[in-house]
Amino acid sequence: MGNRLPPQPGEWIARDAPLHFTFEGLACQGFAGDTVSSALLANGVRVLGRSFKYHRPRGVLSAANHDANVLLQTASDLNIRGDVSPVMAGESYRAVNTLGGVKHDKARVIEALSALLPVGFYYKAFHKPRRMFPMWERVIRKLSGLGRIAPGFPETRSPWRRLHCDCLVIGAGPSGLAASLRLSAAGVQVVLADENAGVGGSAAWTDGASAWLAAAQATAHNSPKMTVLTGTFAAGLYSDLEVPLVSREGLTIVTPRRLLVTTGVIEQPAVFRNNDVPGVMLASAAQRLVARYGVAPFTRGVMLAGNPEACEASAWLLERGLALDALLVLPGFKPTPEILAKLEARDVRIVRDVTALEALSQNGVLTGVRCEAGGCELRFACDGLLMSAGWAPATQLLHQGGARFAHEAVIDQRIPTELPVGLYAAGRVNGVYTLEARRQDGEAAADEILASLGYSSARTPRPPRAGEAHSHPRPFFAHPRGRNFVDFDEDIQLHDLEVACREGFDNIELLKRFTTNGMGPSQGKHSNLNAARWLADYHGVGMDAVGSTTARPFYHPVPMGVLAGRRIRPQAHGALEPQHRAAGAVWMEAGAWLRPRRYADSGPTGLAEYRAVREGVGVIDVSTLGKLEIFGRDAVRLLELAFTGRFASLKAGRSRYVLLCDHRGTVVDDGLAACLGEHHFYLTAGSGHVTATCRQLTQIAALYGLQVEVVDRTRQMTAINVAGPRARMLLQPHTPQGIDDAAFPFTQVRDTTLFGLPARMMRVGFVGETGFEVHVRYTDGPHLWQALLEAGAPLGLRPFGVETQRLLRLEKAHLIVGHDTDGVMHPFETPLAGLVALDKPQFLGKAALDLLQHQVNRRLVGFETSEAGSEALEECHLIIREGEICGRITSVARSPVLGKTIGLAVLECVADQPLPEAIELRNGRGQLVRANLREGAFYDPANSRQQEGTA
Amino acid sequence: MKIFNCPILGPRPASEFLCAGSALAGMQNDDLHDARHGVYFGDATAKVKREWWFHRASQLWFLISRDTATDSVLEIALASMSGAQHGK
C-alpha cells in the first residue's frame, strides 16, 4: 500500500474497512470506497488493460468513467469499468481483450504488424480472394470484441421506473447545486442527478475551501423539495424533455417540465508520441485519485500545460505533497507571472514553448519525457506525465435536445447559442468558469426556470462568460514514428487522420466513419474535439465550419439487462385452464393465451381426438375467439360499412360469415355476425385480431357519427364448440327448445339455457360436422365443461385441441386468416371473393378492392397428393415450376380419413388464365412431389354433414 | 417521449395512443392508383398532418393535428365530437 497518501479532506475511502481482491492472480488490498483502478494503483499496479487494436498497455486516463481501455471481467460480469466501479471484497478481476493476461498479452504482436493494417484496411482487405473470407472472418471475430459473455452469468434484471418533476438538473457541480437549491427553496420539485457518488463535482477538490460549496453540498441532501440521485447518469434526451437515468438500480425515465443541463466539461488529452503509456494521464485524473482515494498517482511528475487549469492543478498537487519536477508549457499558452513565480518557488522547472514532445517508456510504463525547447533537447525522468490541455463541453444532451452552438473564440469552446423551449444550460458547459460565476449562472438559470413556471418574475442576469481560453487550440505533436493517439478506444493516431483526409474522407462525419475515431465505448468523449481541431487546421478553417458529430442516445454504454427491464409479458387465463391442465393438455401460445395443442392421452398425433369428432362427439374450448356485442340504431349500418358483405337482409336469430379488409384491401379478419334483434348483433372475430377489429369498428362509428356501442366481451365469456355426429344427441336432453335441423338449422343462433346455465347457442360448421358453439359467462365455463364431459362420456366424447381443430378445418379447406393469408393478400386471391359485395356504395377497403378485383396474380389453392415424399411436406415449402419458385405451402397435413396429404398453398398465376391441374412441391429433402389442385373441401364437399337441413 | 396534452385525458405519453393514419382520406383513398402503393410508399413528407389516434386505456378516438417538421402537436379533439362525419 506504498502509494497511499495520508488521509485527504473529504476522501471517499474508509481506511478502517480494508478489503482483499485479486487482479490476474495478484493478491491486492484496497479500502471500501475504492474503485478497482484506484485500489490497483495503490498496490503499485500500473498496467490495467490492453488497447483494443494494438494491445498496447494502458492505465488510468481520466478516472472519470471514460477509461475505455480499463475494462474488467469477473466470473459473473464483463466490461466492468475499472475507473468508476467499486472494488468488491473477494472478487477476482482480469482485464478483457488479452491473450494470456494483461502483462504478457500475446496479441501485442499485432502492433508489430501495424504497418500492414492502415486505417480503413478492413474496407479494402479480406474481399479477395472470396474463398478466403470465412477464414478471415474467424480470425477477426476472435480478435474483435471486448469481454466474454459466459452463459452462466447470473441473470440480472432491473425494473423501469418513471418519475415526474418540475425540474430535472443533470450534474451536481457548483452551477447545478446552486440552481437546485434556489429552485427547491422556491417550492419547485427538483430532481438533481449526478453520475458520481457524491455532489460537488470536481469543485469538491479544486474549490474545497469554499464555505458556500460546503454548505450547498450539505443542504442538498436535506432539502424536502429536492431528490438527489447520485451514482446516476443521464443517458440521453428524447422528445418533450424525456431523460432516461441509469443507475445500479436500473432505468428511471424522467419527464420533467424543465430540464437544466449542468454537465460541465470533460478534460481532453494532448496528442504526442506515446501519450497512451500508463503513467500519462489527465491532470484532473491525478487530482481525482488524490482527492477521492488518497492514492499518489506518481512519485515524480511532469505537467504538460496548455491552459490555466494546468498551473492551478500543479499548485494543488504540490500542496498535497506530490513532487512535480517541471511544467512544460505548450506554444501559445501564456501562464500568469504570479502563478509561475509560485511554482518556481516550489522548485518546478518552467519550460516554455515545448515542441517535439514524446513520452518515454520501459516495460510498458512511463519512465520519462523528452521534448525540445529553444533549440535544446530536454529529458525528464518521471513516472507521471499529466496533461492539462483543454476541455470539451459535455454538450451531448443539449445536442440531442436540438440546441444550436457556436464556437466562442475567446474561451475556445463551443457555446450553446439557442436552446429549445424548456431546456436550459449553466456552468462550464455554458462557458462560465470561476466558482462564483458558476454559482451565479446556476442561480440565474433557476430564476429563468421559476419565471417560466410562473413562480416568480425575478430575473437575475447571467454572469459574463470566461474571459480567457481554457483549452489549447492545437495540442498536437507530430512524430515520424507515430503512436500519438487521438482516440484511445480504437487506437487512432494522428497519421490515421491524415490518411483518411488524403483518401477523401475529409469531412467530420466521414472522417469518423472511415477511421472509427469516436466510435469506441467512450463515444468520442476524448477524441471528437481533437479530431475536429485537427481537421480545422488541416483545412485552414474555423471550428464552426468543421462542425461536430452528434452523440446519439444512449451516449454512454448501458447494460442490456437495464434496457430489457423486467420484461413484463401479461398472460391471459381462460376459465377452463385448470380443467385442461387436469386433462393433460400440451400447451401452445396463442397471443396472450395458452391453448391446449392436444391432450396427452390422445396419442402423439391426437388421432383419438380426431376420430371422436368425425365419428362421435368432441368439445373444444374456443374462448379465445373474439366476442363483440354491438347495440344501437345504426348497428346494421356499422356492419355494412365495416365488412365486405351485406347485413340488411340478415334476420334475427341467424348468423352470417363476415370478412374484414383494411383500407388497402388486405384480408385482416373473419368471423360470424349473429343478429339478435333489429339493433343488436353478436360478432365473433379472430382470436388474435379482436382488439384491432373492435378498434376498427369504433373508428368507423366515430367517423360516420353512428348511434352504436361496441362492447368487447372476449374475456367475459367462455365459448365451447361441441361438434360431431352425436353432438345433438349429447345436447338435446339438456336444453329446453328443440335443436333438430328443422327447429335449429345451420347458421341459427338462440339465447337459451344448457344444463341450466344461461347460454347463447350457434349452429356452426368450422370443423365439418354438426356443430354447436355455446357461449356462457366466464364463471359458468367450468360447470358447462364438466357437465359436457360427464354427459358425453357414454357417447365417447373427447376434448380436442387446436392441432386437431386445424386438421379438421383443413379437410374442409377453410382458411385461417393470418395463417393462410399474408399481409397483402386480398379476397380475390382466395376462395372468399364471393363475400365481397362490390356493389355496396361504401365499405372499408372498397376503393382498393374495386381495383384489386382485376389484379389477381396469385391464388390460395387446395392441393392433394399421395406421392412418395408427400409425408415430408411442411408449411412454407415451395412450389416449383420449371426450376423457379412460384408459391409456397401455407397449411399441410395428412388426412386420416382420406389417406393422403392435403394442404393449402399460395400459387402465382396469370389473371384470367386457368390454373394448372397439378403443381410440384419441393419438400425438405429436396424431392419434387407432384400434387393435384382441387377446388372446394377435401372432405364432404357437399357439406351434407355440417348443415343437413339448411333452411 | 412525446406528451400529448389532451383536453379530455390531460397530459398522456404518446405510447398510450395508436396512430391509425390520415384523417383526411376518411375510409376512401383517392390515391389508390395501385392498391399496394401505400404499403411501400406512404407519405413521409414533413408537414402538418391530421390523423386518427386511438387511446387504448380509455378506448377513445381522437383527431390530432401535428407538425412532423417541428415534432409538435397542434390540436387534439375527441373524434365523435369534432365533426368527424364524412358520411357522404
Side-chain angles (χ1 to χ4, degrees):
Chain A
M1 302 290 280
N3 295 331
R4 287 284 180 195
L5 294 163
Q8 301 291 310
E11 68 183 13
W12 289 3
I13 53 168
R15 298 198 185 229
D16 52 356
L19 53 81
H20 298 270
F21 66 100
T22 66
F23 177 66
E24 306 213 326
L26 179 75
C28 298
Q29 197 212 322
F31 293 119
D34 258 326
T35 64
V36 184
S37 292
S38 70
L40 286 172
L41 281 194
N43 284 273
V45 180
R46 316 209 69 188
V47 181
L48 307 183
R50 289 275 174 170
S51 71
F52 176 62
K53 186 174 170 191
Y54 297 140
H55 290 256
R56 285 170 66 89
R58 295 278 159 90
V60 167
L61 174 66
S62 71
N65 210 0
H66 309 305
D67 288 3
N69 292 140
V70 186
L71 297 179
L72 302 156
Q73 173 113 28
T74 66
S76 60
D77 203 0
L78 77 166
N79 295 347
I80 301 164
R81 295 213 165 195
D83 58 338
V84 290
S85 302
V87 66
M88 303 305 231
E91 190 60 273
S92 303
Y93 296 96
R94 61 194 166 79
V96 303
N97 195 36
T98 71
L99 286 180
V102 75
K103 257 190 192 157
H104 307 289
D105 183 4
K106 291 192 201 77
R108 68 183 184 274
V109 65
I110 292 173
E111 191 180 0
L113 303 173
S114 63
L116 304 174
L117 308 171
V119 63
F121 70 95
Y122 40 81
Y123 296 125
K124 300 171 182 168
F126 311 129
H127 297 300
K128 289 176 187 171
R130 208 172 148 183
R131 68 192 154 77
M132 290 294 283
F133 183 74
M135 190 276 283
W136 286 120
E137 188 185 9
R138 274 197 302 280
V139 172
I140 294 164
R141 281 192 190 281
K142 193 169 160 63
L143 289 174
S144 59
L146 296 169
R148 286 193 190 283
I149 295 171
F153 279 177
E155 184 175 305
T156 50
R157 286 198 179 275
S158 51
W160 287 19
R161 298 183 184 84
R162 286 197 179 267
L163 190 64
H164 297 264
C165 58
D166 292 322
C167 187
L168 172 64
V169 182
I170 313 280
S175 52
L177 269 177
S180 303
L181 291 173
R182 171 150 307 190
L183 287 165
S184 66
V188 167
Q189 285 287 356
V190 184
V191 174
L192 173 62
D194 194 288
E195 65 175 322
N196 291 298
V199 297
S202 58
W205 60 82
T206 56
D207 299 279
S210 161
W212 169 77
L213 186 66
Q217 284 174 281
T219 320
H221 293 287
N222 301 313
S223 214
K225 281 278 182 184
M226 187 159 145
T227 309
V228 180
L229 301 173
T230 50
T232 302
F233 67 88
L237 174 55
Y238 293 84
S239 333
D240 287 3
L241 306 180
E242 187 182 62
V243 178
L245 295 179
V246 180
S247 72
R248 252 164 219 292
E249 284 72 46
L251 190 67
T252 305
I253 300 163
V254 188
T255 310
R257 295 172 69 199
R258 302 289 181 269
L259 177 64
L260 173 59
V261 174
T262 51
T263 42
V265 290
I266 300 170
E267 187 153 41
Q268 301 295 301
V271 181
F272 53 89
R273 180 169 164 80
N274 292 333
N275 60 344
D276 63 327
V277 165
V280 183
M281 67 180 75
L282 300 169
S284 60
Q287 288 180 290
R288 229 170 241 117
L289 290 167
V290 171
R292 289 179 176 171
Y293 313 107
V295 171
F298 54 85
T299 49
R300 301 214 72 78
V302 169
M303 177 72 75
L304 182 64
N307 60 1
E309 284 86 343
C311 305
E312 289 159 22
S314 300
W316 187 93
L317 288 164
L318 289 167
E319 273 164 36
R320 304 272 172 144
L322 285 117
L324 272 186
D325 289 343
L327 185 82
L328 310 182
V329 181
L330 275 89
F333 171 54
K334 301 269 178 290
T336 61
E338 298 80 42
I339 188 94
L340 290 185
K342 193 171 157 189
L343 293 176
E344 274 175 321
R346 304 287 300 261
D347 292 332
V348 178
R349 181 165 167 199
I350 312 292
V351 184
R352 286 191 177 80
D353 294 332
V354 166
T355 57
L357 181 74
E358 82 176 278
L360 307 171
S361 71
Q362 222 163 22
N363 299 328
V365 296
L366 183 74
T367 53
V369 53
R370 179 200 166 278
C371 64
E372 288 170 19
C376 307
E377 185 186 303
L378 297 168
R379 277 172 191 264
F380 296 92
C382 63
D383 60 351
L385 175 56
L386 310 180
M387 301 178 282
S388 184
W391 309 90
T395 53
Q396 290 90 343
L397 292 173
L398 295 172
H399 266 292
Q400 289 165 14
R404 290 178 185 280
F405 294 84
H407 192 80
E408 179 78 58
V410 176
I411 323 172
D412 213 322
Q413 180 177 322
R414 282 164 66 78
I415 300 293
T417 51
E418 225 178 286
L419 291 165
V421 175
L423 185 58
Y424 299 80
R428 285 197 286 181
V429 75
N430 192 35
V432 168
Y433 270 78
T434 66
L435 180 69
E436 184 50 31
R438 284 147 81 186
R439 174 189 170 177
Q440 277 178 29
D441 205 30
E443 289 176 347
D447 284 344
E448 290 166 20
I449 290 168
L450 288 172
S452 78
L453 290 171
Y455 278 78
S456 79
S457 54
R459 276 294 178 109
T460 343
R462 296 274 193 149
R465 295 207 167 98
E468 59 181 339
H470 287 266
S471 296
H472 194 275
R474 50 186 69 77
F476 309 119
F477 296 87
H479 194 283
R481 279 180 293 146
R483 299 297 179 263
N484 35 15
F485 290 95
V486 180
D487 188 299
F488 295 89
D489 301 20
E490 303 272 314
D491 282 352
I492 307 301
Q493 310 167 50
L494 220 42
H495 173 68
D496 296 329
L497 302 186
E498 285 172 35
V499 171
C501 283
R502 278 209 305 273
E503 298 222 9
F505 300 96
D506 57 354
N507 161 289
I508 188 79
E509 296 283 357
L510 297 175
L511 184 74
K512 168 181 173 173
R513 278 155 190 83
F514 188 72
T515 60
T516 71
N517 187 73
M519 286 164 68
S522 55
Q523 287 288 288
K525 293 186 188 75
H526 285 135
S527 56
N528 282 349
L529 180 62
N530 276 340
R533 286 189 186 284
W534 182 88
L535 194 61
D537 265 8
Y538 180 86
H539 287 303
V541 297
M543 289 294 282
D544 281 333
V546 166
S548 68
T549 55
T550 306
R552 284 166 191 82
F554 290 6
Y555 77 95
H556 189 79
V558 176
M560 297 295 255
V562 168
L563 294 179
R566 279 198 179 141
R567 195 175 62 170
I568 296 165
R569 287 185 66 195
Q571 179 93 60
H573 294 283
L576 302 179
E577 209 178 285
Q579 281 71 23
H580 298 318
R581 205 172 291 285
V586 179
W587 298 102
M588 62 178 271
E589 284 188 1
W593 306 79
L594 283 179
R595 296 192 70 184
R597 179 187 293 280
R598 58 187 167 79
Y599 296 87
D601 66 348
S602 61
T605 57
L607 192 62
E609 294 174 15
Y610 172 86
R611 286 201 189 290
V613 180
R614 285 275 180 256
E615 294 161 16
V617 60
V619 286
I620 181 169
D621 177 7
V622 291
S623 303
T624 57
L625 265 182
K627 298 177 278 289
L628 302 176
E629 202 129 0
I630 301 168
F631 308 92
R633 204 184 65 196
D634 292 327
V636 174
R637 180 124 193 269
L638 174 62
L639 296 182
E640 293 264 352
L641 285 168
F643 298 103
T644 59
R646 296 183 175 284
F647 300 92
S649 60
L650 189 60
K651 292 191 182 66
R654 299 311 288 254
S655 67
R656 189 166 287 175
Y657 182 74
V658 298
L659 186 65
L660 182 69
C661 293
D662 66 10
H663 70 277
R664 297 183 186 113
T666 298
V667 176
V668 292
D669 201 5
D670 66 346
L672 282 180
C675 180
L676 299 170
E678 197 187 347
H679 300 148
H680 184 192
F681 285 83
Y682 189 64
L683 185 74
T684 63
S687 304
H689 205 267
V690 61
T691 313
T693 297
C694 183
R695 192 162 64 231
Q696 186 68 71
L697 291 175
T698 57
Q699 186 188 12
I700 293 170
L703 174 63
Y704 289 89
L706 302 182
Q707 295 289 316
V708 68
E709 287 294 329
V710 182
V711 183
D712 185 353
R713 303 197 64 195
T714 303
R715 289 169 192 219
Q716 300 171 1
M717 309 280 280
T718 291
I720 298 167
N721 186 358
V722 184
R726 294 181 190 160
R728 191 176 288 116
M729 209 187 299
L730 165 64
L731 297 179
Q732 184 62 84
H734 308 288
T735 185
Q737 294 102 329
I739 54 169
D740 58 65
D741 275 328
F744 198 56
F746 186 61
T747 76
Q748 192 80 14
V749 58
R750 163 194 293 168
D751 281 340
T752 178
T753 62
L754 187 62
F755 295 99
L757 305 168
R760 180 165 292 163
M761 282 176 75
M762 304 163 79
R763 267 294 298 277
V764 294
F766 189 51
V767 298
E769 303 290 342
T770 305
F772 299 86
E773 206 168 274
V774 187
H775 294 234
V776 297
R777 288 180 304 205
Y778 183 93
T779 43
D780 287 343
H783 304 294
L784 177 61
W785 183 261
Q786 202 54 38
L788 286 168
L789 291 193
E790 282 166 19
L795 302 171
L797 176 140
R798 262 185 179 277
F800 63 103
V802 176
E803 223 166 61
T804 303
Q805 185 197 35
R806 292 232 168 126
L807 169 61
L808 291 162
R809 68 87 202 180
L810 186 58
E811 287 182 338
K812 295 297 293 177
H814 290 310
L815 63 86
I816 296 177
V817 174
H819 186 95
D820 297 298
T821 69
D822 58 34
V824 289
M825 184 169 274
H826 60 79
F828 302 104
E829 295 172 334
T830 74
L832 306 174
L835 294 166
V836 184
L838 280 179
D839 50 342
K840 278 203 297 184
Q842 220 169 16
F843 63 92
L844 184 55
K846 176 171 157 58
L849 290 168
D850 274 336
L851 294 166
L852 288 169
Q853 61 175 327
H854 307 297
Q855 297 177 10
V856 180
N857 303 319
R858 52 184 198 156
R859 271 180 204 282
L860 188 66
V861 295
F863 67 86
E864 58 183 16
T865 173
S866 42
E867 290 207 5
S870 63
E871 69 287 347
L873 288 171
E874 289 175 22
E875 285 171 17
C876 285
H877 283 174
L878 300 174
I879 308 172
I880 305 292
R881 181 168 54 209
E882 291 165 5
E884 297 291 326
I885 297 168
C886 66
R888 67 173 212 283
I889 297 175
T890 61
S891 290
V892 66
R894 184 89 183 154
S895 166
V897 68
L898 302 172
K900 52 188 165 191
T901 298
I902 56 169
L904 297 176
V906 181
L907 173 66
E908 285 175 12
C909 64
V910 182
D912 305 327
Q913 296 276 308
L915 291 173
E917 282 183 8
I919 52 174
E920 282 195 310
L921 303 161
R922 192 170 65 197
N923 71 13
R925 302 178 207 135
Q927 293 169 298
L928 286 178
V929 181
R930 192 180 160 81
N932 293 321
L933 295 194
R934 168 155 183 167
E935 261 189 71
F938 301 99
Y939 169 77
D940 183 28
N943 291 336
S944 56
R945 295 178 70 88
Q946 69 188 35
Q947 53 191 21
E948 348 95 74
T950 305
Chain B
M1 185 185 300
K2 216 62 211 154
I3 302 290
F4 287 175
N5 285 307
C6 177
I8 311 289
L9 305 166
R12 310 299 312 174
S15 64
E16 292 185 0
F17 295 80
L18 283 175
C19 180
S22 171
L24 298 175
M27 272 171 51
Q28 305 298 334
N29 196 337
D30 301 331
D31 191 30
L32 270 175
H33 52 88
D34 173 346
R36 291 298 182 264
H37 190 266
V39 179
Y40 307 109
F41 304 101
D43 181 9
T45 325
K47 61 180 178 187
V48 174
K49 293 188 173 176
R50 192 167 147 81
E51 293 163 326
W52 286 92
W53 285 76
F54 181 70
H55 185 249
R56 284 180 287 196
S58 66
Q59 302 274 298
L60 291 175
W61 278 101
F62 293 91
L63 287 166
I64 294 185
S65 298
R66 64 191 182 106
D67 188 344
T68 55
T70 58
D71 193 21
S72 54
V73 177
L74 308 174
E75 192 203 349
I76 302 180
L78 198 60
S80 53
M81 295 167 68
S82 58
Q85 273 122 303
H86 280 238
K88 291 170 233 169

